[in-house]
């Protein structure tokens, strides 16, 4: 039986009492950090990298204790992407930090212009439970690379991982550089009362609004990484076997608790049965042929807590009662927080499963005759964090891109765009605000300061008052010629 052991976390009152003093110490130290050299920042990042490699087994054990996430999934979705982010940042940081020369108009001849990247100051990172290490570490890497002091709040829903993170950070950083605060909503609320220079939140839109409201009080910048119902469009030209394999992996990894998980699938009505058979065959190969084999599989994580399990069970039962058919799965065991990989057919957009992001191992399959039906449905809802297209026809891919919007897109695969540090990762509208990863993360935690230096007598002096005479007339004509 899996239970979240909240008792291993420190008392909330103790954590709340620490917040003002730690914030003050970071505020006092922020200029030292912002003036740090590329070598100094890279040294901090390399130290973090070495510690992650040395403690990767402990990390996998902590996450497994929280919701039985398989060790291989921890490697693939938590540790490896973090190390890739670190390697990429270390390799490019010196170049990112250099002032960037920009052109200066002819009318401002005698001046030079550049953009300087400065640390924002003291930043707050509130991370979620579903990828409790990677979704804290990635923004932390960017914030440290940009020269900020950082205060971190991991999720209380994964207490063993939270404890691991707190110890890791304490061992690597003094509190006036990076500090972790453990606990629940009361600790998060107390943190939101501090005048951070940037607020970074990953989670749901409901809490995202609270974070944005807190940032508004201080006129601080904010990044919101939220979620939404990420759709899948399977075209008639798609390779159904390859699509089924990718979708089974992307949907059921982490028990479907992934912000960019395929939320629902649109497949041509004429291809539905062939796709469902391919999908069921893949699930048998991945997790076993029977429900008993799947429940015993070491390759399936569990739902994070009883409340999440109850929510999934209720929406699944209501959807089946509304007429959906369980093609495979449908088993839900409360004590172990198990929900089997479930595929539903006969689903319509009016059913309960289509009301909100599923965030669990339940995959609805809808059919369509014309792609215009899909565009209308997708565009009526909140803009999704990801959109997945399976097609061998490039014209179809371009059409889908022209008729929809989303935070990111993957063609003929799922999830993998998150692992490319050269791409910005973020949402749009209800799925998020701002982005990060790689250079985009460095810029998120930096202020782009414009600098113009006048080295020679400025031509602009010809426009000084009084606004009359031949010089002014000549200058006015010259300016118009340059327009």
């Amino acid at each position: 039986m899996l239970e979240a052991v909240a008792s291993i976390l420190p008392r909330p009152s103790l954590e709340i009492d620490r917040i003002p003093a730690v914030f003050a110490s970071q505020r006092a130290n922020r200029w030292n950090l912002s003036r740090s050299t590329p070598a100094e920042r890279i040294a901090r990042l390399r130290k973090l990298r070495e510690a992650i490699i040395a403690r990767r087994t402990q990390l996998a054990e902590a996450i497994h204790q929280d919701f039985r996430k398989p060790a291989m999934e921890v490697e693939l979705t938590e540790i490896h992407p973090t190390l890739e982010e670190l390697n990429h940042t270390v390799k490019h940081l010196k170049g990112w930090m250099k002032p960037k020369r920009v052109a200066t108009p002819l009318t401002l001849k005698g001046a030079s212009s550049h953009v300087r990247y400065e640390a924002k100051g003291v930043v707050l990172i509130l991370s979620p439970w579903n990828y409790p290490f990677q979704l804290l570490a990635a923004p932390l890497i960017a914030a440290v690379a940009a020269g900020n002091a950082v205060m971190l709040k991991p999720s209380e829903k994964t207490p063993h991982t939270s404890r691991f993170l707190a110890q890791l950070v304490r061992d690597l950083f003094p509190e006036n550089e990076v500090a972790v605060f453990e606990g629940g909503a009361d600790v998060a609320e107390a943190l939101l009362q501090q005048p951070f220079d940037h607020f970074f939140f990953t989670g749901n839109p409901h809490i995202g609004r609270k974070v944005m409201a807190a940032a508004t009080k201080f006129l601080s910048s904010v990044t919101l990484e939220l979620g939404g119902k990420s759709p899948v469009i399977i075209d008639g030209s798609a390779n159904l076997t390859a699509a089924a394999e990718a979708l089974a992996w992307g949907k059921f990894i982490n028990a479907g608790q992934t912000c960019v998980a395929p939320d629902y699938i649109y497949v041509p009505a004429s291809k539905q049965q062939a796709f469902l058979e391919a999908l069921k065959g893949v699930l048998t190969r991945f997790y076993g042929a029977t429900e008993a084999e799947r429940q015993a599989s070491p390759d399936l994580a569990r739902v994070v807590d009883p409340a999440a399990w109850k929510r999934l069970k209720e929406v699944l039962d209501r959807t089946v009662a509304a007429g959906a058919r369980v093609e495979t799965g449908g088993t839900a065991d409360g004590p172990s927080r198990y929900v089997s990989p479930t595929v539903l057919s006969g689903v319509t957009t009016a059913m309960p499963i289509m009301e909100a992001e599923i965030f669990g191992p339940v995959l609805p399959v809808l059919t369509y005759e014309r792609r215009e039906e899909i565009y209308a449905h997708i565009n009526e809802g909140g803009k999704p964090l990801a959109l997945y297209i399976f097609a061998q026809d490039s014209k179809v891919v371009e059409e889908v891109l022209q008729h929809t919007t989303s935070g990111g897109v993957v063609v003929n695969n799922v999830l993998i765009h998150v692992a490319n540090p050269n791409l910005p990762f973020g949402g749009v509208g209800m799925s998020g605000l701002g982005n990060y990863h790689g250079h985009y993360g460095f810029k998120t935690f930096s202020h782009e300061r414009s600098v113009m230096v006048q080295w020679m007598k400025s031509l602009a002096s010809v426009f000084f008052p009084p606004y009359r005479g031949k010089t002014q007339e000549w200058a006015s004509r010259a300016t118009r010629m340059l327009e």
Side-chain angles (χ1 to χ4, degrees):
M1 181 174 177
L2 291 171
E3 292 182 354
V5 189
S7 60
I8 72 171
L9 298 178
R11 289 215 319 267
S13 59
L14 296 177
E15 293 292 88
I16 291 171
D17 289 345
R18 289 175 53 224
I19 291 172
V22 174
F23 183 87
S25 71
Q26 291 201 350
R27 177 55 61 86
N29 191 41
R30 61 90 75 208
W31 291 109
N32 294 326
L33 293 173
S34 69
R35 289 191 293 265
S36 58
T37 65
E40 289 169 331
R41 298 181 193 182
I42 287 170
R44 293 186 186 104
L45 295 174
R46 282 180 171 156
K47 192 175 178 182
L48 175 59
R49 182 182 186 277
E50 291 166 5
I52 293 169
I53 292 171
R55 305 185 196 192
R56 67 199 313 160
T57 300
Q58 297 164 252
L59 173 58
E61 289 171 354
I63 298 178
H64 189 270
Q65 282 181 288
D66 283 328
F67 57 110
R68 225 184 90 169
K69 187 168 183 171
M72 182 57 73
E73 285 190 11
V74 174
E75 283 288 332
L76 289 175
T77 65
E78 304 271 10
I79 298 173
H80 179 72
T82 302
L83 294 177
E84 283 289 304
E85 189 79 16
L86 276 165
N87 292 340
H88 183 81
T89 302
V90 166
K91 180 179 179 180
H92 296 285
L93 183 56
K94 187 174 180 180
W96 295 345
M97 288 178 64
K98 288 180 179 178
K100 301 295 187 293
R101 288 289 299 268
V102 296
T104 302
L106 184 58
T107 51
L108 300 176
K109 187 174 176 59
S112 65
S113 307
H114 68 270
V115 177
R116 186 180 294 266
Y117 293 95
E118 299 180 340
K120 287 191 172 178
V122 183
V123 304
L124 174 65
I125 296 172
L126 300 170
S127 62
W129 54 264
N130 59 325
Y131 290 89
F133 178 73
Q134 194 267 336
L135 291 180
L136 179 141
L140 172 62
I141 292 164
V144 170
N148 297 280
V150 189
M151 292 171 70
L152 303 163
K153 163 66 174 67
S155 174
E156 73 280 8
K157 290 189 176 186
T158 46
H160 296 91
T161 311
S162 178
R163 172 78 351 198
F164 171 89
L165 288 164
Q167 189 62 55
L168 178 73
V169 169
R170 274 198 299 269
D171 290 346
L172 296 178
F173 301 97
E175 275 199 334
N176 64 354
E177 291 183 12
V178 182
V180 173
F181 293 84
E182 299 181 85
D186 46 359
V187 175
E189 291 281 358
L191 285 164
L192 292 177
Q193 302 308 309
Q194 300 300 316
F196 289 97
D197 298 292
H198 187 84
F199 293 75
F200 188 104
F201 170 75
T202 303
N204 63 62
H206 174 68
I207 304 300
R209 290 187 179 93
K210 292 185 177 182
V211 175
M212 194 163 190
T216 300
K217 287 189 300 184
F218 308 111
L219 296 181
S220 301
S221 53
V222 61
T223 302
L224 302 177
E225 295 296 339
L226 308 177
K229 294 183 74 65
S230 296
V232 179
I233 300 173
I234 298 178
D235 179 58
S237 67
N239 181 324
L240 294 183
T241 301
E245 191 169 63
L247 288 164
W249 169 70
K251 178 63 179 182
F252 301 113
I253 195 171
N254 210 44
Q257 299 165 121
T258 304
C259 59
V260 289
D263 194 88
Y264 60 94
I265 296 172
Y266 268 112
V267 64
S270 61
K271 303 279 187 177
Q272 177 184 219
Q273 197 55 44
F275 172 71
L276 289 171
E277 292 305 317
L279 188 56
K280 286 187 276 190
V282 171
L283 289 175
T284 295
R285 178 157 52 90
F286 281 8
Y287 306 118
T290 67
E291 281 300 319
E293 289 176 346
R294 292 178 186 182
Q295 191 163 0
S297 171
D299 300 321
L300 282 169
R302 295 299 185 255
V303 177
V304 71
D305 61 19
W309 180 88
K310 181 181 178 183
R311 176 187 61 80
L312 283 167
K313 179 71 166 62
E314 287 178 351
V315 75
L316 177 58
D317 289 346
R318 288 170 53 219
T319 302
V320 172
R325 176 183 173 185
V326 177
E327 292 287 339
T328 187
T331 300
D333 177 66
S336 64
R337 306 200 309 269
Y338 171 77
V339 177
S340 64
T342 300
V343 178
L344 302 177
S345 64
V347 177
T348 69
T349 57
M351 289 182 175
I353 200 72
M354 296 298 291
E355 291 172 357
E357 184 178 7
I358 298 167
F359 226 67
V362 181
L363 183 58
V365 177
L366 296 82
T367 62
Y368 71 96
E369 298 291 344
R370 297 167 58 250
R371 283 190 295 276
E372 288 75 14
E373 305 166 31
I374 305 174
Y375 305 149
H377 172 248
I378 292 174
N379 294 332
E380 282 172 5
K383 298 171 183 176
L385 185 55
L387 185 147
Y388 302 113
I389 309 166
F390 286 84
Q392 297 300 314
D393 186 338
S394 61
K395 291 182 180 178
V396 170
V397 173
E398 184 59 30
E399 180 193 293
V400 174
L401 293 174
Q402 292 283 347
H403 285 81
T404 60
T405 186
S406 62
V409 175
V410 180
V411 179
N412 292 324
N413 212 327
V414 295
L415 309 190
I416 58 172
H417 61 305
V418 178
N420 184 353
N422 295 292
L423 285 173
F425 176 74
V428 57
M430 288 295 289
S431 61
L433 174 67
N435 53 49
Y436 71 121
H437 285 189
H439 192 207
Y440 301 96
F442 173 81
K443 291 175 70 175
T444 286
F445 287 101
S446 300
H447 166 57
E448 293 179 284
R449 188 180 191 182
S450 61
V451 179
M452 182 175 281
V453 180
Q454 187 72 53
W455 295 113
M456 300 163 54
K457 181 176 173 62
S458 174
L459 289 178
S461 62
V462 300
F463 296 105
F464 295 169
Y467 300 121
R468 54 187 176 273
K470 289 189 176 182
T471 301
Q472 287 282 353
E473 185 180 340
W474 173 86
S476 179
R477 288 178 181 176
T479 302
R480 290 185 182 187
M481 290 175 63
L482 296 172
E483 290 176 350

